Amino acid sequence: MGPQGAGKGTQAARLAEVFGIVPISTGDIFRTNIAGETELGKLAQEYTNKGDLVPDEVTNEMVRDRLGQPDVKDGFILDGYPRNAAQVTELDQILAGLGWELDGVIELTADRAELLSRIARRAQEEGRDDDTEEAIARRLDIYAEQTAPLTSAYRERNLLVQVDGLGEIAEVTDRIVASLATQLG
């Protein structure tokens, strides 16, 4: 978990390598469905073009489908999901249906000004149409309102690890791995 630009995608990929598991990014799932012009992808495109988050029912269905694929049976790391209380409940149900439960939740933290700068750079480097200044600010506001409060729920379950997402990529990865080792044993 973490606001847009905190390094979730980068760290998810690195942690997947460290732990030998599959990284699952909701952003990648959205882009794959959008590029494939699936019905869910078309719906997702309408929302991301406006800078809005994709509605839960669309996101949940995409995640359910992805977690049902055989390559995740030995483990996975979710990037960008869940983002609100309803999605936490849905994820719990998806995992229970598969006979799984979460091992841990990582929250990357970062200063808002740094996040805005990072996302603007990413938009230029990757040519991402969904990273306009207005869309970025809106997504950060939505994160603060809807997703950040989930940390309390995961803290109560003794699953949460908070890690500063600023610094060299390898340093952030090392902090996450060390924090997980402490938290999970």
Side-chain angles (χ1 to χ4, degrees):
M1 301 179 86
Q4 288 77 12
K8 295 183 307 291
T10 299
Q11 292 303 324
R14 291 179 61 87
L15 293 170
E17 287 182 29
V18 168
F19 296 111
I21 57 177
V22 177
I24 299 175
S25 159
T26 51
D28 288 346
I29 293 172
F30 294 157
R31 286 184 281 280
T32 297
N33 278 274
I34 289 168
E37 297 184 0
T38 68
E39 288 305 312
L40 291 172
K42 290 175 188 175
L43 285 171
Q45 177 91 59
E46 291 175 23
Y47 291 95
T48 59
N49 283 347
K50 293 186 279 188
D52 291 335
L53 294 174
V54 177
D56 289 349
E57 53 274 2
V58 176
T59 303
N60 292 340
E61 193 55 40
M62 288 182 181
V63 170
R64 180 181 304 281
D65 176 67
R66 183 65 184 95
L67 290 178
Q69 295 176 13
D71 65 335
V72 301
K73 67 177 175 47
D74 292 328
F76 57 89
I77 185 165
L78 291 172
D79 165 11
Y81 184 91
R83 67 172 191 249
N84 60 44
Q87 287 182 357
V88 169
T89 300
E90 185 68 21
L91 178 59
D92 287 343
Q93 291 173 357
I94 292 169
L95 294 176
L98 295 168
W100 300 337
E101 58 184 48
L102 291 177
D103 293 323
V105 175
I106 303 158
E107 181 188 25
L108 293 177
T109 61
D111 174 73
R112 184 178 175 101
E114 177 62 24
L115 294 173
L116 290 168
S117 174
R118 282 183 177 188
I119 297 170
R121 278 193 309 273
R122 179 179 76 184
Q124 287 180 337
E125 291 169 4
E126 298 177 12
R128 289 178 55 164
D129 296 334
D130 61 333
D131 280 343
T132 65
E133 187 173 331
E134 297 80 21
I136 294 165
R138 174 136 171 78
R139 288 197 306 267
L140 290 175
D141 290 343
I142 291 170
Y143 177 83
E145 177 185 311
Q146 295 182 8
T147 308
L150 301 182
T151 59
S152 296
Y154 284 123
R155 186 176 292 111
E156 289 172 12
R157 294 186 193 185
N158 294 318
L159 293 172
L160 184 68
V161 172
Q162 289 182 305
V163 177
D164 181 0
L166 298 180
E168 294 296 320
I169 292 171
E171 291 172 358
V172 175
T173 303
D174 290 345
R175 286 195 297 261
I176 294 169
V177 171
S179 295
L180 285 173
T182 300
Q183 178 75 14
L184 303 175

